[in-house]
Amino acid sequence: MKGRFYRWRTAVAWVFLAALFSGPFLSYNGQPLFLFNVLERKFNIFGVTFWPQDFYLVAIGLLAFIVFIALFTVVYGRVFCGWACPQTVFLEMVFRKIEIWIEGDSNARRRLDAAPWTTDKILKKSAKYSLFFLISFAISNTFLAYIIGKDALLTIMTDNPANHIGGLSIILLFTGVFYTVFAYVREYVCTTICPYGRLQSVLLDKQSVMVAYDDVRGEPRGKKERGAGAGGTRSLWNWR
Ligand code: SF4
């Protein structure tokens, strides 16, 4: 894909990925920038510590966030999904790019999938799935660092594995979940699992910005008569 919006989207994705991977490892005033330690009920947001008794602040913040997301969706449609959702950012900007880099575009991938198991196919598939596994492992470690903190994660990584069976099992479990999501489940997360994805159908209206098939312009299908016009008044990009 090419174009101005795609270039912006790629830039936003890289900033987002840098922030996501560095978040639990950066400190502010001696406190981790972000920590969501549900085990010790301690939360750090932008270096400020919150305890369970401060939870009403988080609840107010969450309510404001949900209202913001709902209003934002009504006006701008699926902008969050396309630009800021971790599922999309990782899938489109990391995993899909690796897949295209190793196996080629969708036509080349279809040909490769249908082809017999040659050395070339085995090498490509092993390279792709090994990279997928390594990135899933990195995401899993970062995810755990958000929950238990970077020091506890470093202890698990450097200490005798026998002392951290629980921590290592959780890392492997999350690695497996991320690997399955990004290698196989993919868009099914959006169409069947994500509650926000399901909610969008009731949040969008005719004024919302969206990229979608326009039945008024598109139906009936087939060649249009010269001078018949577009066949409708709605535009694909409803910038009103
Ligand atoms: S539907 Fe859900 S998972 Fe999919 S991109 Fe949107 S917010 Fe992310």
Side-chain angles (χ1 to χ4, degrees):
M1 280 175 277
K2 294 190 185 106
R4 185 158 50 100
F5 282 113
Y6 191 71
R7 279 199 299 279
W8 273 106
R9 206 176 139 205
T10 307
V12 170
W14 282 111
V15 171
F16 181 83
L17 286 170
L20 199 82
F21 278 110
S22 58
F25 302 101
L26 298 177
S27 303
Y28 181 72
N29 280 342
Q31 294 291 333
L33 203 57
F34 291 104
L35 181 73
F36 303 96
N37 194 336
V38 282
L39 307 173
E40 293 175 9
R41 300 186 195 94
K42 184 185 170 193
F43 305 90
N44 273 61
I45 300 173
F46 290 111
V48 180
T49 305
F50 294 89
W51 297 97
Q53 56 267 37
D54 304 318
F55 202 75
Y56 70 98
L57 291 173
V58 179
I60 292 171
L62 276 178
L63 278 176
F65 181 70
I66 290 169
V67 171
F68 168 75
I69 284 279
L71 292 178
F72 197 81
T73 307
V74 170
V75 180
Y76 292 109
R78 308 194 65 179
V79 171
F80 174 81
C81 288
W83 289 63
C85 173
Q87 159 76 9
T88 305
V89 170
F90 275 110
L91 182 59
E92 297 301 331
M93 297 296 166
V94 181
F95 287 86
R96 191 100 65 195
K97 281 192 189 301
I98 290 172
E99 191 167 65
I100 292 169
W101 175 54
I102 295 177
E103 295 186 351
D105 62 16
S106 56
N107 286 334
R109 290 205 301 276
R110 264 195 291 274
R111 276 198 302 274
L112 186 72
D113 285 344
W117 282 96
T118 58
T119 313
D120 180 59
K121 180 168 172 174
I122 292 171
L123 282 177
K124 281 183 174 169
K125 292 284 178 194
S126 340
K128 180 177 99 169
Y129 288 118
S130 305
L131 277 175
F132 280 8
F133 185 83
L134 282 177
I135 295 168
S136 303
F137 186 69
I139 299 172
S140 172
N141 276 273
T142 311
F143 185 68
L144 199 61
Y146 272 105
I147 296 173
I148 61 174
K150 66 176 189 310
D151 296 330
L153 178 70
L154 203 67
T155 309
I156 293 179
M157 289 166 86
T158 51
D159 202 9
N160 183 350
N163 299 333
H164 302 283
I165 298 293
L168 288 169
S169 309
I170 288 173
I171 291 178
L172 283 180
L173 179 75
F174 280 116
T175 302
V177 170
F178 289 125
Y179 177 83
T180 309
V181 164
F182 292 119
Y184 301 106
V185 182
R186 299 193 160 186
E187 287 85 2
Y188 285 113
V189 172
C190 302
T191 54
T192 53
I193 300 172
C194 173
Y196 177 58
R198 312 288 305 203
L199 200 63
Q200 279 173 9
S201 50
V202 293
L203 292 176
L204 299 173
D205 66 12
K206 284 183 180 172
Q207 308 299 317
S208 308
V209 176
M210 61 176 164
V211 181
Y213 177 67
D214 189 339
D215 58 308
V216 173
R217 296 178 73 201
E219 301 293 340
R221 298 178 196 200
K223 245 182 168 172
K224 296 271 180 276
E225 294 280 317
R226 188 181 286 275
T233 52
R234 281 191 277 164
S235 69
L236 195 60
W237 281 79
N238 251 330
W239 291 95
R240 269 179 271 153

PDB file of all heavy atoms in Angstrom, residues 42-60:
ATOM      1  N   LYS A  42      -0.985  -2.264  42.807  1.00  0.00           N
ATOM      2  CA  LYS A  42      -0.253  -1.006  42.687  1.00  0.00           C
ATOM      3  C   LYS A  42      -0.205  -0.620  41.205  1.00  0.00           C
ATOM      4  O   LYS A  42       0.138  -1.449  40.368  1.00  0.00           O
ATOM      5  CB  LYS A  42       1.171  -1.195  43.223  1.00  0.00           C
ATOM      6  CG  LYS A  42       1.992   0.053  43.227  1.00  0.00           C
ATOM      7  CD  LYS A  42       3.420  -0.255  43.669  1.00  0.00           C
ATOM      8  CE  LYS A  42       4.308   0.943  43.429  1.00  0.00           C
ATOM      9  NZ  LYS A  42       5.715   0.634  43.551  1.00  0.00           N
ATOM     10  N   PHE A  43      -0.559   0.625  40.925  1.00  0.00           N
ATOM     11  CA  PHE A  43      -0.630   1.053  39.527  1.00  0.00           C
ATOM     12  C   PHE A  43       0.154   2.351  39.345  1.00  0.00           C
ATOM     13  O   PHE A  43       0.040   3.253  40.171  1.00  0.00           O
ATOM     14  CB  PHE A  43      -2.094   1.274  39.106  1.00  0.00           C
ATOM     15  CG  PHE A  43      -2.952   0.063  39.349  1.00  0.00           C
ATOM     16  CD1 PHE A  43      -3.617  -0.108  40.565  1.00  0.00           C
ATOM     17  CD2 PHE A  43      -3.077  -0.926  38.391  1.00  0.00           C
ATOM     18  CE1 PHE A  43      -4.389  -1.232  40.804  1.00  0.00           C
ATOM     19  CE2 PHE A  43      -3.854  -2.049  38.621  1.00  0.00           C
ATOM     20  CZ  PHE A  43      -4.510  -2.203  39.831  1.00  0.00           C
ATOM     21  N   ASN A  44       0.952   2.401  38.321  1.00  0.00           N
ATOM     22  CA  ASN A  44       1.681   3.627  37.998  1.00  0.00           C
ATOM     23  C   ASN A  44       1.273   4.101  36.614  1.00  0.00           C
ATOM     24  O   ASN A  44       1.355   3.337  35.644  1.00  0.00           O
ATOM     25  CB  ASN A  44       3.192   3.374  37.985  1.00  0.00           C
ATOM     26  CG  ASN A  44       3.778   3.529  39.353  1.00  0.00           C
ATOM     27  OD1 ASN A  44       3.415   2.806  40.258  1.00  0.00           O
ATOM     28  ND2 ASN A  44       4.669   4.494  39.498  1.00  0.00           N
ATOM     29  N   ILE A  45       0.820   5.323  36.539  1.00  0.00           N
ATOM     30  CA  ILE A  45       0.460   5.891  35.233  1.00  0.00           C
ATOM     31  C   ILE A  45       1.218   7.202  35.092  1.00  0.00           C
ATOM     32  O   ILE A  45       1.084   8.100  35.932  1.00  0.00           O
ATOM     33  CB  ILE A  45      -1.066   6.110  35.131  1.00  0.00           C
ATOM     34  CG1 ILE A  45      -1.783   4.759  35.306  1.00  0.00           C
ATOM     35  CG2 ILE A  45      -1.438   6.731  33.794  1.00  0.00           C
ATOM     36  CD1 ILE A  45      -3.284   4.827  35.406  1.00  0.00           C
ATOM     37  N   PHE A  46       2.059   7.275  34.081  1.00  0.00           N
ATOM     38  CA  PHE A  46       2.955   8.416  33.869  1.00  0.00           C
ATOM     39  C   PHE A  46       3.755   8.721  35.141  1.00  0.00           C
ATOM     40  O   PHE A  46       3.921   9.879  35.519  1.00  0.00           O
ATOM     41  CB  PHE A  46       2.172   9.651  33.410  1.00  0.00           C
ATOM     42  CG  PHE A  46       1.634   9.514  32.020  1.00  0.00           C
ATOM     43  CD1 PHE A  46       0.276   9.396  31.792  1.00  0.00           C
ATOM     44  CD2 PHE A  46       2.494   9.457  30.924  1.00  0.00           C
ATOM     45  CE1 PHE A  46      -0.226   9.236  30.512  1.00  0.00           C
ATOM     46  CE2 PHE A  46       1.999   9.306  29.631  1.00  0.00           C
ATOM     47  CZ  PHE A  46       0.645   9.191  29.435  1.00  0.00           C
ATOM     48  N   GLY A  47       4.237   7.674  35.836  1.00  0.00           N
ATOM     49  CA  GLY A  47       5.107   7.844  36.990  1.00  0.00           C
ATOM     50  C   GLY A  47       4.370   8.169  38.278  1.00  0.00           C
ATOM     51  O   GLY A  47       4.982   8.245  39.340  1.00  0.00           O
ATOM     52  N   VAL A  48       3.051   8.350  38.241  1.00  0.00           N
ATOM     53  CA  VAL A  48       2.274   8.641  39.458  1.00  0.00           C
ATOM     54  C   VAL A  48       1.672   7.338  39.955  1.00  0.00           C
ATOM     55  O   VAL A  48       1.078   6.588  39.188  1.00  0.00           O
ATOM     56  CB  VAL A  48       1.142   9.661  39.153  1.00  0.00           C
ATOM     57  CG1 VAL A  48       0.345   9.952  40.423  1.00  0.00           C
ATOM     58  CG2 VAL A  48       1.726  10.927  38.564  1.00  0.00           C
ATOM     59  N   THR A  49       1.859   7.082  41.274  1.00  0.00           N
ATOM     60  CA  THR A  49       1.395   5.812  41.834  1.00  0.00           C
ATOM     61  C   THR A  49      -0.052   5.913  42.300  1.00  0.00           C
ATOM     62  O   THR A  49      -0.436   6.887  42.948  1.00  0.00           O
ATOM     63  CB  THR A  49       2.287   5.407  43.026  1.00  0.00           C
ATOM     64  OG1 THR A  49       3.643   5.386  42.575  1.00  0.00           O
ATOM     65  CG2 THR A  49       1.913   4.040  43.563  1.00  0.00           C
ATOM     66  N   PHE A  50      -0.832   4.909  41.944  1.00  0.00           N
ATOM     67  CA  PHE A  50      -2.223   4.819  42.400  1.00  0.00           C
ATOM     68  C   PHE A  50      -2.380   3.523  43.186  1.00  0.00           C
ATOM     69  O   PHE A  50      -1.866   2.484  42.774  1.00  0.00           O
ATOM     70  CB  PHE A  50      -3.203   4.796  41.215  1.00  0.00           C
ATOM     71  CG  PHE A  50      -3.217   6.077  40.430  1.00  0.00           C
ATOM     72  CD1 PHE A  50      -2.338   6.262  39.376  1.00  0.00           C
ATOM     73  CD2 PHE A  50      -4.103   7.093  40.755  1.00  0.00           C
ATOM     74  CE1 PHE A  50      -2.351   7.443  38.651  1.00  0.00           C
ATOM     75  CE2 PHE A  50      -4.120   8.282  40.031  1.00  0.00           C
ATOM     76  CZ  PHE A  50      -3.235   8.453  38.987  1.00  0.00           C
ATOM     77  N   TRP A  51      -3.112   3.605  44.328  1.00  0.00           N
ATOM     78  CA  TRP A  51      -3.419   2.420  45.129  1.00  0.00           C
ATOM     79  C   TRP A  51      -4.916   2.130  45.003  1.00  0.00           C
ATOM     80  O   TRP A  51      -5.655   2.972  44.481  1.00  0.00           O
ATOM     81  CB  TRP A  51      -3.028   2.661  46.589  1.00  0.00           C
ATOM     82  CG  TRP A  51      -1.546   2.886  46.743  1.00  0.00           C
ATOM     83  CD1 TRP A  51      -0.916   4.092  46.821  1.00  0.00           C
ATOM     84  CD2 TRP A  51      -0.530   1.892  46.796  1.00  0.00           C
ATOM     85  NE1 TRP A  51       0.445   3.907  46.929  1.00  0.00           N
ATOM     86  CE2 TRP A  51       0.717   2.568  46.924  1.00  0.00           C
ATOM     87  CE3 TRP A  51      -0.528   0.495  46.744  1.00  0.00           C
ATOM     88  CZ2 TRP A  51       1.929   1.886  46.995  1.00  0.00           C
ATOM     89  CZ3 TRP A  51       0.684  -0.174  46.838  1.00  0.00           C
ATOM     90  CH2 TRP A  51       1.890   0.520  46.961  1.00  0.00           C
ATOM     91  N   PRO A  52      -5.370   0.979  45.517  1.00  0.00           N
ATOM     92  CA  PRO A  52      -6.803   0.654  45.368  1.00  0.00           C
ATOM     93  C   PRO A  52      -7.721   1.762  45.880  1.00  0.00           C
ATOM     94  O   PRO A  52      -8.794   2.002  45.328  1.00  0.00           O
ATOM     95  CB  PRO A  52      -6.962  -0.629  46.184  1.00  0.00           C
ATOM     96  CG  PRO A  52      -5.620  -1.265  46.105  1.00  0.00           C
ATOM     97  CD  PRO A  52      -4.625  -0.139  46.101  1.00  0.00           C
ATOM     98  N   GLN A  53      -7.317   2.485  46.982  1.00  0.00           N
ATOM     99  CA  GLN A  53      -8.194   3.549  47.508  1.00  0.00           C
ATOM    100  C   GLN A  53      -8.323   4.740  46.548  1.00  0.00           C
ATOM    101  O   GLN A  53      -9.216   5.562  46.700  1.00  0.00           O
ATOM    102  CB  GLN A  53      -7.735   4.032  48.900  1.00  0.00           C
ATOM    103  CG  GLN A  53      -6.316   4.521  48.954  1.00  0.00           C
ATOM    104  CD  GLN A  53      -5.365   3.407  49.364  1.00  0.00           C
ATOM    105  OE1 GLN A  53      -5.540   2.253  48.971  1.00  0.00           O
ATOM    106  NE2 GLN A  53      -4.350   3.742  50.153  1.00  0.00           N
ATOM    107  N   ASP A  54      -7.402   4.801  45.560  1.00  0.00           N
ATOM    108  CA  ASP A  54      -7.503   5.883  44.559  1.00  0.00           C
ATOM    109  C   ASP A  54      -8.294   5.443  43.335  1.00  0.00           C
ATOM    110  O   ASP A  54      -8.317   6.136  42.323  1.00  0.00           O
ATOM    111  CB  ASP A  54      -6.095   6.295  44.072  1.00  0.00           C
ATOM    112  CG  ASP A  54      -5.209   6.697  45.217  1.00  0.00           C
ATOM    113  OD1 ASP A  54      -5.716   7.395  46.116  1.00  0.00           O
ATOM    114  OD2 ASP A  54      -4.026   6.321  45.215  1.00  0.00           O
ATOM    115  N   PHE A  55      -8.920   4.280  43.461  1.00  0.00           N
ATOM    116  CA  PHE A  55      -9.494   3.689  42.260  1.00  0.00           C
ATOM    117  C   PHE A  55     -10.618   4.537  41.661  1.00  0.00           C
ATOM    118  O   PHE A  55     -10.885   4.473  40.476  1.00  0.00           O
ATOM    119  CB  PHE A  55      -9.999   2.270  42.550  1.00  0.00           C
ATOM    120  CG  PHE A  55     -10.094   1.445  41.303  1.00  0.00           C
ATOM    121  CD1 PHE A  55      -8.958   0.942  40.703  1.00  0.00           C
ATOM    122  CD2 PHE A  55     -11.320   1.222  40.691  1.00  0.00           C
ATOM    123  CE1 PHE A  55      -9.036   0.219  39.529  1.00  0.00           C
ATOM    124  CE2 PHE A  55     -11.406   0.492  39.521  1.00  0.00           C
ATOM    125  CZ  PHE A  55     -10.265  -0.003  38.938  1.00  0.00           C
ATOM    126  N   TYR A  56     -11.275   5.348  42.527  1.00  0.00           N
ATOM    127  CA  TYR A  56     -12.356   6.182  41.981  1.00  0.00           C
ATOM    128  C   TYR A  56     -11.818   7.118  40.893  1.00  0.00           C
ATOM    129  O   TYR A  56     -12.516   7.445  39.936  1.00  0.00           O
ATOM    130  CB  TYR A  56     -13.054   6.969  43.108  1.00  0.00           C
ATOM    131  CG  TYR A  56     -12.211   8.060  43.714  1.00  0.00           C
ATOM    132  CD1 TYR A  56     -12.356   9.376  43.296  1.00  0.00           C
ATOM    133  CD2 TYR A  56     -11.267   7.772  44.703  1.00  0.00           C
ATOM    134  CE1 TYR A  56     -11.580  10.377  43.846  1.00  0.00           C
ATOM    135  CE2 TYR A  56     -10.493   8.752  45.238  1.00  0.00           C
ATOM    136  CZ  TYR A  56     -10.643  10.067  44.818  1.00  0.00           C
ATOM    137  OH  TYR A  56      -9.867  11.054  45.339  1.00  0.00           O
ATOM    138  N   LEU A  57     -10.534   7.540  41.033  1.00  0.00           N
ATOM    139  CA  LEU A  57      -9.927   8.403  39.992  1.00  0.00           C
ATOM    140  C   LEU A  57      -9.803   7.637  38.679  1.00  0.00           C
ATOM    141  O   LEU A  57     -10.100   8.152  37.602  1.00  0.00           O
ATOM    142  CB  LEU A  57      -8.535   8.874  40.431  1.00  0.00           C
ATOM    143  CG  LEU A  57      -8.510   9.861  41.594  1.00  0.00           C
ATOM    144  CD1 LEU A  57      -7.083  10.126  42.043  1.00  0.00           C
ATOM    145  CD2 LEU A  57      -9.173  11.169  41.163  1.00  0.00           C
ATOM    146  N   VAL A  58      -9.367   6.373  38.803  1.00  0.00           N
ATOM    147  CA  VAL A  58      -9.238   5.537  37.607  1.00  0.00           C
ATOM    148  C   VAL A  58     -10.616   5.319  36.983  1.00  0.00           C
ATOM    149  O   VAL A  58     -10.791   5.374  35.761  1.00  0.00           O
ATOM    150  CB  VAL A  58      -8.574   4.179  37.966  1.00  0.00           C
ATOM    151  CG1 VAL A  58      -8.459   3.299  36.734  1.00  0.00           C
ATOM    152  CG2 VAL A  58      -7.204   4.423  38.567  1.00  0.00           C
ATOM    153  N   ALA A  59     -11.632   5.097  37.859  1.00  0.00           N
ATOM    154  CA  ALA A  59     -12.994   4.861  37.353  1.00  0.00           C
ATOM    155  C   ALA A  59     -13.487   6.093  36.593  1.00  0.00           C
ATOM    156  O   ALA A  59     -14.054   5.970  35.492  1.00  0.00           O
ATOM    157  CB  ALA A  59     -13.936   4.536  38.510  1.00  0.00           C
ATOM    158  N   ILE A  60     -13.249   7.299  37.147  1.00  0.00           N
ATOM    159  CA  ILE A  60     -13.673   8.532  36.454  1.00  0.00           C
ATOM    160  C   ILE A  60     -12.923   8.664  35.125  1.00  0.00           C
ATOM    161  O   ILE A  60     -13.506   8.970  34.087  1.00  0.00           O
ATOM    162  CB  ILE A  60     -13.423   9.768  37.360  1.00  0.00           C
ATOM    163  CG1 ILE A  60     -14.352   9.725  38.556  1.00  0.00           C
ATOM    164  CG2 ILE A  60     -13.628  11.067  36.571  1.00  0.00           C
ATOM    165  CD1 ILE A  60     -14.054  10.774  39.609  1.00  0.00           C
TER     166      ILE A  60
END
